[in-house]
Amino acid sequence: MPGSDLVDRVRDVLDVDAETFQQRVREDAETIKGEIAAGTFDNPQAIVGLEYEFYAVTDECSLARVPRRVLSFVGFEKELGLHNAEMTLSPQPLNQYGLAAQEAEVKANLDAAREPMAAEGLTLVSDGMWTIPPEGETAEEYLTDSVERDGMAVATNMSASARYHAMANTDQPAGMRLDAPHVSLEADTVMPESLITSIQPHYQVPQAVDLPTYFNYALRFAAPLLALTVNSPLFPPDLYDDDATPEEILANGWAESRIDVFETVLNVPGELEKVQFPGDLADVSAAIDRVANDETIVPMSVSKSGRFDDSFAHWRRKHGTYWRWVRPVFGGSSKENANARIEFRPIASQPTVRDTIAVHAAFAGLLENLPRTDHPLVGLDWETARENFYDVARDGLDADIEWITADGDRVTDRKALYADFFDQAEAGLKRRGLSEEEAAKYLFPLRQRARHAVTPARWKRDRVREALDDGNDFENAVYAMQCEYIENQRETLLSGSFADWVGRGDELE
């Protein structure tokens, strides 16, 4: 049950004067622009980073709350729900050693977490969306349970972050609902967002003034990278409308429902669209101003500790609620490590560590090569890139995606598209010193998905269809799929890939 301390902290947040906060954000924006002009954010090293989210389950595959003391023991950070845990990797140079170090860091942290988590009867799961609620509860109950404290709605199952809880109690609250095919849910808080988990790779650009070029390329390869990684085609069964049939659910649901979840929970249609596919950037000042001018939901006080980026602390605070599927980031604890980077947010958590690092490497390789070779993909209309993105969120690899190859050909054929896609990603990794064999190894899990048109979302739907054909009802079919996913992951999380699940794991070229 939420305590009085949380309520007091939420009240403190709500008492922050929005106009004063916004004025300081604008001042910080000018500070960042001045540092860009001075070259402070220029850094020739290609540095990559990764944020990686998980949820916890019991031995019976039910969602589980992670005791806060256990979370601190295993070195993970709190996320939105009490069932969530997040890992933030140490930034590393983009080369064979940096990628290997980050893969090893993920494995080391997960391996170290196993024993203390197992002592609580828990396992961390890497997945796009959970489908089995806590034992004895429905998903609707878990996501909507809240209490009123001093006139404020406080979610029972949300982490004790004042920002998260304040979002439900401002004059301009978020949408706080689910609106997906055959799913509709109203909540008093943003807790429904905790259905979803993701990975968020980062890529540091060499010259801050060139950030828009990298950003605009990322918008154009967002769809084909998302298409390979879709992993949230199903909601918890009790969230579906009573009159929806299994056939309708499987036919009409999005391949990447977490895109829909994030947008409907946080957006208010026609009034406030905080989560969206962003527009192109013309210059780096526009990147800074977009954050500064974005609608403020929760103005918050800031504390300073002597870091370089404390000089724009209010802008950084506002950046935390600047939700775009691709977004610019400016930061650094000192002037020496100040950096400008691209954060890529559409990708769901993947079945194994190797799959996750494959996405990380592909993202970095593409950003390393496309701008440096003036690849003609940047000429793809923004409207087409956006349409590609949402078509893929709905249909995965079945979507029609338009691409421009290195030769300037406009193609929609999947084989031609991904031939160039992987050529560019591999060339980028080789540009950073990886051998052809090393680059191929990193990209192999994603190549297999493209070659055989099998994604985690398709695997999930196929398992459910098979269970239905065997006479199971829809709920049992979804639960059986989820338990099989978790069992497969227990065997392959640290040492295999999704390709092993579908019998394609030994075809490394």
Side-chain angles (χ1 to χ4, degrees), residues 287-406:
I288 300 160
D289 288 338
R290 281 189 187 178
V291 177
N293 297 330
D294 194 43
E295 193 75 36
T296 301
I297 294 181
V298 183
M300 294 182 65
S301 60
V302 300
S303 57
K304 301 185 178 183
S305 57
R307 291 169 53 104
F308 160 69
D309 48 19
D310 284 345
S311 62
F312 47 94
H314 288 82
W315 187 94
R316 287 177 59 224
R317 175 71 78 182
K318 188 168 184 181
H319 184 273
T321 57
Y322 177 75
W323 298 300
R324 302 296 188 270
W325 292 116
V326 182
R327 68 180 182 181
V329 184
F330 299 87
S333 59
S334 66
K335 285 197 172 186
E336 289 71 28
N337 62 23
N339 62 86
R341 59 190 191 271
I342 305 294
E343 179 185 4
F344 196 71
R345 299 171 59 82
I347 307 300
S349 294
Q350 296 295 295
T352 74
V353 172
R354 189 174 175 199
D355 293 303
T356 295
I357 298 300
V359 175
H360 189 36
F363 168 74
L366 289 166
L367 279 185
E368 184 67 24
N369 201 62
L370 294 174
R372 293 178 185 273
T373 59
D374 292 323
H375 192 286
L377 178 65
V378 76
L380 186 71
D381 292 341
W382 175 86
E383 291 79 5
T384 301
R386 182 185 185 278
E387 183 178 343
N388 285 346
F389 181 81
Y390 286 105
D391 285 350
V392 160
R394 285 187 291 270
D395 299 326
L397 281 174
D398 290 331
D400 291 326
I401 309 172
E402 187 172 334
W403 180 267
I404 302 178
T405 69

Side-chain angles (χ1 to χ4, degrees), residues 126-352:
S126 176
D127 192 4
M129 182 185 293
W130 54 267
T131 56
I132 305 179
E135 187 174 355
E137 302 176 63
T138 66
E140 181 174 357
E141 290 168 344
Y142 182 78
L143 294 171
T144 61
D145 190 20
S146 65
V147 295
E148 184 177 317
R149 289 285 184 270
D150 296 338
M152 290 186 288
V154 180
T156 306
N157 297 306
M158 191 186 293
S159 295
S161 166
R163 185 187 77 174
Y164 292 145
H165 291 276
M167 287 170 59
N169 295 283
T170 67
D171 293 334
Q172 293 181 307
M176 299 184 296
R177 77 198 195 288
L178 298 176
D179 184 9
H182 309 295
V183 174
S184 56
L185 178 74
E186 299 289 337
D188 294 327
T189 71
V190 296
M191 184 63 187
E193 186 205 328
S194 72
L195 273 168
I196 56 177
T197 48
S198 66
I199 59 172
Q200 296 156 30
H202 293 239
Y203 175 92
Q204 178 179 299
V205 304
Q207 305 290 322
V209 293
D210 294 331
L211 182 142
T213 300
Y214 291 83
F215 183 90
N216 296 343
Y217 271 111
L219 296 183
R220 284 153 179 79
F221 69 68
L225 185 52
L226 177 63
L228 296 172
T229 60
V230 287
N231 193 22
S232 58
L234 293 159
F235 287 81
D238 73 84
L239 294 183
Y240 287 104
D241 299 333
D242 292 339
D243 60 353
T245 67
E247 292 75 18
E248 290 172 333
I249 291 170
L250 292 172
N252 301 331
W254 288 28
E256 193 56 87
S257 293
R258 65 172 294 274
I259 300 293
D260 198 17
V261 168
F262 199 43
E263 293 196 357
T264 59
V265 171
L266 295 173
N267 290 344
V268 180
E271 297 181 27
L272 183 69
E273 296 195 357
K274 296 279 290 182
V275 186
Q276 58 180 274
F277 187 82
D280 282 334
L281 285 173
D283 55 57
V284 70
S285 292
I288 300 160
D289 288 338
R290 281 189 187 178
V291 177
N293 297 330
D294 194 43
E295 193 75 36
T296 301
I297 294 181
V298 183
M300 294 182 65
S301 60
V302 300
S303 57
K304 301 185 178 183
S305 57
R307 291 169 53 104
F308 160 69
D309 48 19
D310 284 345
S311 62
F312 47 94
H314 288 82
W315 187 94
R316 287 177 59 224
R317 175 71 78 182
K318 188 168 184 181
H319 184 273
T321 57
Y322 177 75
W323 298 300
R324 302 296 188 270
W325 292 116
V326 182
R327 68 180 182 181
V329 184
F330 299 87
S333 59
S334 66
K335 285 197 172 186
E336 289 71 28
N337 62 23
N339 62 86
R341 59 190 191 271
I342 305 294
E343 179 185 4
F344 196 71
R345 299 171 59 82
I347 307 300
S349 294
Q350 296 295 295
T352 74

Side-chain angles (χ1 to χ4, degrees), residues 381-449:
D381 292 341
W382 175 86
E383 291 79 5
T384 301
R386 182 185 185 278
E387 183 178 343
N388 285 346
F389 181 81
Y390 286 105
D391 285 350
V392 160
R394 285 187 291 270
D395 299 326
L397 281 174
D398 290 331
D400 291 326
I401 309 172
E402 187 172 334
W403 180 267
I404 302 178
T405 69
D407 295 328
D409 298 326
R410 288 181 176 265
V411 299
T412 56
D413 175 73
R414 186 167 65 212
K415 184 176 181 180
L417 185 163
Y418 280 110
D420 189 59
F421 176 96
F422 285 113
D423 282 350
Q424 301 309 314
E426 183 173 320
L429 295 176
K430 291 164 66 176
R431 187 183 290 274
R432 299 307 306 177
L434 277 74
S435 69
E436 185 172 344
E437 181 179 358
E438 289 167 336
K441 180 180 177 181
Y442 278 115
L443 298 175
F444 170 75
L446 297 183
R447 282 188 184 273
Q448 290 296 78
R449 297 185 190 187

